[in-house]
Amino acid sequence: MSEFDADPPEASEASEAPEALEVEGSGEPNFAQVFFPARPKALRPRARLRQQGAPTRAQVRSGEPEGSNPVYVDWLCEQSMLQDAKEIANQFSGLGSMWQNPFARPDPRAAVQTASVWFTAYPISMITRRGESFLGTLADPDLWSAFEHIGIHGVHTGPVKRAGGLSGWNPTPSVDGHFDRIGTHIDELFGTEEDFREMCRVAAEHEGTVIDDIVPGHTGKGADFRLAELGVGDYPGIYHMVSIPPEEWHLLPDVPEGRDSANLDEVDEMALTEAGHIIGELQRVIFHVPGVKDTNWSATAPVTGPDGVTRRWVYLHYFKEGQPSINWLDPTFAGMRLVIGDALHSIGDLGSGGLRLDANGFLGVERTLEVGPAWSEGHPLSEAANQLIGSMVRKVGGFTFQELNLSIEDIRDTAAGGADLSYDFITRPAYHHALATGDTEFLRLALREAQRLGVDAAGLVHALQNHDELTYELVHFASRHRDDVFTFRGGEVTGAELAETVRGELTGTLTGDAAPYNLVFTTNGIASTTASVITGALGFRDLDALTDEQVEQVRRAHLLLAMYNALQPGVFALSGWDLVGALPIPAEQIADLLREGDTRWIHRPAYDLLDVAPDEQWSTSGMPRARTLYGPVDRQLEDPDSFVTRLREILHLRGYFAVATTRQVDVPDVAHPAMLVMVHEYEQVPGQLQVTVLNFSADPISGTVISERLEPGSRLMDMGDGSVFGQVDQLHGFHVELDGFAGLALLVSPPRQEAS
């Protein structure tokens, strides 16, 4: 079969099915289950944090929001994440239950068994019923019933805690989609802590789990940063910040009226480096925008603390100016305490089963003796810090995954003792390139490079769209391996040349005149939805003129990308934008959001999963409703030809045959450039293999699949309907024919041994 158009066989019919395979969610008992079967699966401290919010009218009238006002300083301390961390830690210390979970080594397969298919939400983009919060919507039993029917058992909420900053007494908005966290509490914009706990309860009723976010790399400019500026207690130790003596303020840029800081240009950065205050230039300037962000350093305006001392600080921010970086090696360990407290609150109090670690690859910086930039990526401190976070979360019964866009070695090394899972930045740009070019050579190269360097595909989160750009940085090839030689298209190229070629082909096909609805995002990637990547790859320039036939082509290509990500080991993740087939927001409709160059806002339109508010044209956060190709999920489930219904069939195969916990053992050469073959091994059944064959072109293809892993005489079963497909020939191969954008999933059983 070349389509997944039938349910897998029932157990009584599956004569070719592997005997020892288990449906997802099962597995061997762990240490805690064996020795402490009655212990709750997750810690649930009874104590709750005190209420957090704006100051009372009496407090506001008590004085000005400045360091000389003790009422203001005390209020900042009450609002701070560091203070929350102290209270949270006290709830966990001294409990015997803190020692009942194994924690030293990451366990990706255990994390995958917890939930191997995730829905990745984005709070500001979900349309809710009038008067209902985002978290209330995610606690809807009808939504979880739909998720369970589709085969989704994990929901990654996205960032839902308080974010942005403080200016005096007043909150300021987030500068990075709520990834500039300033509080441990749930942001009232998205609901309440009780909403979150109810969501976790409903999820458990539907065999699901909830995954929250923490940000180990930075905060926003909230109470903790304002207290650091004031020089209060341990707070300056949270951040990479240096107090500059007044006699050297001439080295600092002026801060414009109405601003609280100014970015250093390259001259300022060099002057402060030579003066011995900062480590200077880092390996790259993420989100570089000339005149807006020239370096990774900014200087504050003068701030007078409770001690009467007026200070100006220079602080590090890998990302935006409103995201000061956390210092993981300050003697106070204040930053570490803040992050761990936030993690414990999410797992032990709110009820999350897992955590995403945002910006966790940039936790160590060090000046080098050589001429050139400071060491800021792949630093051992990042590995050590991630091991602490991952171990703590495992200690309390959860798991973590990291979004680490560095080299393959960095992903491997950071995961060795840290996060249980890593986002698949290895093959994500490669499978987009395969679709854009109809050639899987670079995708095969990336898959093999991961295997060669020891990255287990089962430890990766293979995703369609999320809130970020579809990155094409190709850091592995463009930085660490820029001078290494790779074989590509019949010749030898350096890593830098390979990265440049792939980036050029992606932008040439998916942006510009070819696809004006997609936009380049600084030097990082392309702002687009999955659907608009596909329309660009198919050459559909006008999204308002798509025909029914073209929409079906998009749907088939979208399902192909789902097959690629789902029919291999690891987690498969998809978003609401994927489920409804969202298209980007026209740039002119959100011009204010794009003013500073953050084009990612075009791929974050609002969507309504269950058609709960058909007349609403905006989310409660103000994002305009998406133009969609597929429509609401509940309506799609009634249509046997819809995207969601056909996706459900793919996920049913994945779960029934336990593909998620196999091991990828071969990515062989192919008979046609558009073909991709992945061979996976069942570790618990010797000789049992699963083979995924995909066609990344719109045209039919045929050819022979050959892999040394395939034993001659092995029997082939079509996993789509349980039918006999054939057997492996003496050359370790078999013939396949695939329609355009089609896939084939086969179960390979070793030859029967003749009885002696």
Side-chain angles (χ1 to χ4, degrees):
M1 292 179 61
S2 59
E3 297 280 356
F4 299 111
D5 56 5
D7 287 340
E10 297 297 327
S12 60
E13 302 172 356
S15 59
E16 303 291 325
E19 295 178 0
L21 299 189
E22 297 178 344
V23 177
E24 289 174 4
S26 62
E28 294 300 317
N30 62 28
F31 176 92
Q33 291 170 329
V34 171
F35 292 100
F36 301 95
R39 187 177 64 81
K41 291 184 179 180
L43 300 173
R44 293 289 184 271
R46 293 180 180 275
R48 303 296 191 211
L49 293 174
R50 77 283 177 278
Q51 291 297 314
Q52 181 166 329
T56 65
R57 293 174 61 86
Q59 286 174 318
V60 173
R61 288 195 296 267
S62 296
E64 295 299 317
E66 54 191 29
S68 59
N69 181 2
V71 174
Y72 177 64
V73 174
D74 288 346
W75 177 75
L76 286 177
C77 291
E78 291 172 1
Q79 303 300 303
S80 74
M81 295 179 70
L82 186 58
Q83 178 61 34
D84 284 349
K86 295 175 184 177
E87 296 184 18
I88 293 165
N90 290 335
Q91 299 176 27
F92 287 84
S93 296
L95 300 178
S97 53
M98 283 293 293
W99 297 99
Q100 307 313 325
N101 286 315
F103 64 88
R105 294 182 178 88
D107 193 347
R109 282 175 171 76
V112 168
Q113 286 179 334
T114 300
S116 84
V117 179
W118 299 353
F119 169 77
T120 57
Y122 193 58
I124 66 175
S125 295
M126 183 173 280
I127 292 176
T128 65
R129 292 182 181 89
R130 184 158 295 182
E132 186 174 64
S133 69
F134 164 75
L135 292 174
T137 297
L138 282 184
D140 183 351
D142 290 339
L143 179 61
W144 276 96
S145 294
F147 283 160
E148 189 174 20
H149 186 61
I150 295 167
I152 297 170
H153 291 286
V155 166
H156 174 214
T157 61
V160 294
K161 293 185 178 180
R162 292 185 64 213
L166 286 173
S167 178
W169 299 101
N170 301 315
T172 58
S174 170
V175 298
D176 189 28
H178 268 71
F179 287 101
D180 45 348
R181 178 164 297 172
I182 62 169
T184 310
H185 283 65
I186 300 296
D187 193 312
E188 294 84 355
L189 179 66
F190 304 131
T192 66
E193 292 194 358
E194 289 309 315
D195 289 338
F196 198 108
R197 296 186 187 100
E198 175 66 8
M199 173 181 60
C200 294
R201 186 191 67 78
V202 174
E205 288 182 350
H206 293 270
E207 300 182 359
T209 192
V210 173
I211 304 157
D212 195 6
D213 282 74
I214 63 170
V215 187
H218 54 254
T219 71
K221 288 185 174 180
D224 295 274
F225 185 75
R226 297 308 178 199
L227 287 163
E229 286 184 311
L230 294 171
V232 174
D234 292 349
Y235 287 92
I238 296 174
Y239 301 102
H240 283 288
M241 59 193 305
V242 178
S243 178
I244 306 301
E247 62 270 19
E248 295 185 85
W249 285 5
H250 65 278
L251 300 176
L252 305 177
D254 294 330
V255 177
E257 185 72 26
R259 299 268 305 278
D260 63 2
S261 61
N263 190 241
L264 305 186
D265 61 23
E266 291 88 343
V267 174
D268 298 331
E269 180 184 61
M270 179 60 71
L272 287 164
T273 304
E274 291 177 348
H277 294 301
I278 62 175
I279 60 174
E281 179 189 5
L282 304 189
Q283 287 172 255
R284 56 182 169 145
V285 181
I286 300 174
F287 298 172
H288 175 258
V289 178
V292 177
K293 186 186 179 188
D294 294 304
T295 72
N296 294 297
W297 302 91
S298 287
T300 70
V303 181
T304 303
D307 56 3
V309 177
T310 300
R311 301 173 176 87
R312 291 195 69 186
W313 305 84
V314 171
Y315 67 94
L316 175 68
H317 53 93
Y318 281 102
F319 301 100
K320 298 185 178 182
E321 195 170 312
Q323 295 169 294
S325 292
I326 292 174
N327 185 353
W328 274 80
L329 202 57
D330 182 83
T332 66
F333 292 100
M336 182 189 300
R337 288 186 283 134
L338 181 152
V339 172
I340 295 297
D342 193 20
L344 290 175
H345 176 247
S346 289
I347 296 289
D349 191 1
L350 295 181
S352 304
L355 294 174
R356 170 185 175 271
L357 309 183
D358 179 68
N360 70 314
F362 310 102
L363 307 185
V365 291
E366 181 177 343
R367 190 169 186 175
T368 59
L369 297 177
E370 298 83 8
V371 175
W375 187 6
S376 58
E377 297 182 8
H379 195 283
L381 179 58
S382 288
E383 297 175 27
N386 280 279
Q387 184 167 357
L388 286 168
I389 299 169
S391 293
M392 180 60 74
V393 172
R394 284 188 290 272
K395 248 192 159 188
V396 295
F399 67 88
T400 56
F401 82 100
Q402 61 183 0
E403 195 171 36
L404 184 67
N405 187 22
L406 296 177
S407 73
I408 295 174
E409 292 96 329
D410 290 325
I411 293 172
R412 177 199 64 201
D413 295 344
T414 305
D420 298 279
L421 301 165
S422 297
Y423 207 77
D424 184 4
F425 282 118
I426 301 167
T427 73
R428 194 180 191 207
Y431 78 72
H432 292 140
H433 182 261
L435 184 72
T437 62
D439 188 337
T440 64
E441 182 176 3
F442 179 61
L443 176 55
R444 284 180 276 122
L445 189 158
L447 285 163
R448 291 167 179 168
E449 186 76 350
Q451 281 186 16
R452 181 181 71 84
L453 294 171
V455 171
D456 183 358
L460 298 177
V461 178
H462 312 285
L464 293 173
Q465 185 184 348
N466 70 0
H467 66 280
D468 267 331
E469 77 286 355
L470 300 179
T471 180
Y472 58 30
E473 290 174 283
L474 303 171
V475 176
H476 179 79
F477 301 100
S479 58
R480 187 165 184 164
H481 296 275
R482 64 175 292 105
D483 297 321
D484 292 357
V485 176
F486 297 89
T487 301
F488 186 64
R489 293 178 178 168
E492 292 187 338
V493 296
T494 65
E497 292 168 338
L498 179 60
E500 184 177 356
T501 296
V502 171
R503 281 197 297 264
E505 291 176 351
L506 283 171
T507 54
T509 303
L510 304 180
T511 67
D513 289 339
Y517 39 79
N518 296 328
L519 299 176
V520 171
F521 173 62
T522 66
T523 59
N524 294 57
I526 297 170
S528 59
T529 65
T530 303
S532 71
V533 164
I534 297 167
T535 55
L538 292 173
F540 301 158
R541 192 175 185 278
D542 187 353
L543 298 183
D544 294 325
L546 294 176
T547 65
D548 290 344
E549 181 181 357
Q550 289 173 327
V551 171
E552 174 59 18
Q553 285 184 276
V554 173
R555 186 182 293 115
R556 288 178 62 85
H558 206 156
L559 288 165
L560 172 82
L561 300 185
M563 293 178 216
Y564 166 73
N565 286 290
L567 296 180
Q568 64 172 304
V571 168
F572 169 50
L574 73 165
S575 66
W577 300 297
D578 289 303
L579 290 174
V580 301
L583 298 174
I585 307 169
E588 61 274 11
Q589 195 173 345
I590 51 170
D592 287 347
L593 291 175
L594 306 183
R595 184 175 295 116
E596 293 187 0
D598 193 344
T599 56
R600 293 175 298 174
W601 292 107
I602 69 166
H603 66 240
R604 297 167 174 169
Y607 55 82
D608 186 349
L609 288 181
L610 296 184
D611 208 21
V612 297
D615 297 327
E616 290 291 342
Q617 296 305 307
W618 306 81
S619 71
T620 54
S621 298
M623 294 304 294
R625 180 186 279 266
R627 297 174 293 163
T628 67
L629 300 182
Y630 311 148
V633 168
D634 49 350
R635 201 177 305 160
Q636 288 189 64
L637 287 172
E638 299 171 357
D639 178 1
D641 296 322
S642 71
F643 173 79
V644 164
T645 298
R646 288 147 77 178
L647 173 69
R648 174 182 175 272
E649 293 165 0
I650 297 168
L651 299 183
H652 190 180
L653 288 178
R654 170 185 166 88
Y656 183 86
F657 290 100
V659 175
T661 51
T662 59
R663 184 174 297 277
Q664 193 167 98
V665 293
D666 195 18
V667 181
D669 291 334
V670 292
H672 189 284
M675 184 185 292
L676 177 73
V677 179
M678 298 182 289
V679 181
H680 307 126
E681 179 181 65
Y682 289 100
E683 295 183 327
Q684 67 270 45
V685 185
Q688 191 88 60
L689 301 174
Q690 187 274 325
V691 178
T692 298
V693 188
L694 303 172
N695 175 11
F696 275 80
S697 80
D699 300 320
I701 63 172
S702 64
T704 300
V705 172
I706 297 176
S707 170
E708 289 299 317
R709 289 281 184 167
L710 300 173
E711 184 180 352
S714 295
R715 294 160 290 140
L716 304 172
M717 186 189 83
D718 189 321
M719 292 162 57
D721 62 3
S723 64
V724 175
F725 186 83
Q727 69 177 30
V728 178
D729 62 28
Q730 294 304 307
L731 297 177
H732 303 271
F734 58 88
H735 184 74
V736 296
E737 296 181 358
L738 292 175
D739 289 337
F741 297 136
L744 177 66
L746 297 172
L747 191 69
V748 184
S749 298
R752 290 188 176 92
Q753 300 297 319
E754 297 295 334
S756 57

